[in-house]
Amino acid sequence: MAEEEAKKVEPQPEPCSEPLPPPETVEPPKNVAEEKTVIPPPPSDEKADDCKALVLVEKPAADEEKKLEGSINRDAVLARVATEKRLSLIKAWEESEKSKAENKAQKKVSSIGAWENSKKASIEAELKKIEEQLETKKAEYIEKLKNKIALVHKEAEEKRAMIEAKRGEDLLKAEETAAKYCATGTAPKKLLGCF
């Protein structure tokens, strides 16, 4: 019986009459670090099955394809990351250049505003100075004209006074002459210069 039990414990492999179906390929995980490699079992003294050997040989080939596919994906991811990094650097440079241009333009605009204000102030000061000069000249001319008016008025008064004096003299002379003619009884030789 012990021999029968030993025979039961050590079953002999049957020869492979039909080939085993190939194992289903499972899609590899995307993360290369999570991939697990299958280590073939150590060779035993028993007679190895040829079909199993084929399966073991194909599995490491599939692992190599997975590694290759993972490295291609990793390269693509790294290339995409490098491209994104380059694009972000370009965008940051562009923003920096735009802000520099804005600051430069703002500085020039403010300096132009300051220049304009200073020029306006100097022109307004010059205008005020000219207005003061004109006001002074106007006052001088008004004074001169008032003096002229006063002088003309004075001359007119003098002429009126002279005319009044002469009229008074003429009236007095006419009265004296009339009185003389009356006293003598003679008539004047000239009568109003008409006769």
Side-chain angles (χ1 to χ4, degrees):
M1 281 192 172
E3 290 179 319
E4 287 180 28
E5 288 178 25
K7 285 183 182 180
K8 285 182 184 177
V9 174
E10 296 179 7
Q12 293 182 357
E14 297 177 10
C16 186
S17 58
E18 42 181 75
L20 291 175
E24 295 179 9
T25 57
V26 180
E27 190 164 320
K30 298 294 178 186
N31 195 349
V32 177
E34 293 178 2
E35 289 184 12
K36 297 180 181 178
T37 58
V38 178
I39 301 173
S44 63
D45 292 343
E46 297 177 357
K47 187 177 179 184
D49 191 6
D50 290 339
C51 295
K52 289 182 182 177
L54 289 175
V55 172
L56 291 177
V57 171
E58 289 180 1
K59 211 164 193 178
D63 285 341
E64 287 177 13
E65 288 177 10
K66 289 178 186 177
K67 288 180 183 178
L68 181 62
E69 187 176 298
S71 69
I72 290 173
N73 286 341
R74 186 181 68 222
D75 290 344
V77 168
L78 289 175
R80 187 172 62 236
V81 167
T83 303
E84 289 175 1
K85 183 178 178 182
R86 186 176 71 248
L87 289 176
S88 67
L89 287 174
I90 290 171
K91 189 172 183 179
W93 175 85
E94 179 184 10
E95 291 297 321
S96 172
E97 290 298 313
K98 283 181 179 179
S99 67
K100 283 180 187 177
E102 285 291 327
N103 291 340
K104 189 176 182 180
Q106 186 64 30
K107 186 177 179 182
K108 286 185 178 182
V109 165
S110 65
S111 70
I112 289 171
W115 173 81
E116 179 184 16
N117 290 339
S118 112
K119 288 294 182 182
K120 280 182 179 179
S122 67
I123 290 171
E124 286 175 359
E126 186 178 347
L127 179 64
K128 192 170 184 178
K129 183 179 176 183
I130 291 171
E131 285 177 350
E132 289 174 359
Q133 289 175 350
L134 289 175
E135 287 294 324
T136 307
K137 285 184 179 182
K138 180 180 176 183
E140 289 174 1
Y141 284 134
I142 288 173
E143 188 68 28
K144 284 181 181 179
L145 291 176
K146 283 183 179 180
N147 289 341
K148 281 185 179 181
I149 290 172
L151 192 66
V152 166
H153 183 66
K154 183 180 175 184
E155 287 178 12
E157 286 295 322
E158 288 174 357
K159 287 183 179 181
R160 281 191 202 110
M162 287 173 63
I163 290 172
E164 285 293 323
K166 185 156 173 113
R167 183 179 69 105
E169 287 176 9
D170 288 343
L171 286 176
L172 189 60
K173 187 177 178 183
E175 284 177 7
E176 286 176 2
T177 309
K180 183 180 169 186
Y181 285 130
C182 283
T184 57
T186 58
K189 295 181 183 176
K190 294 182 189 176
L191 289 176
L192 300 173
C194 304
F195 301 112

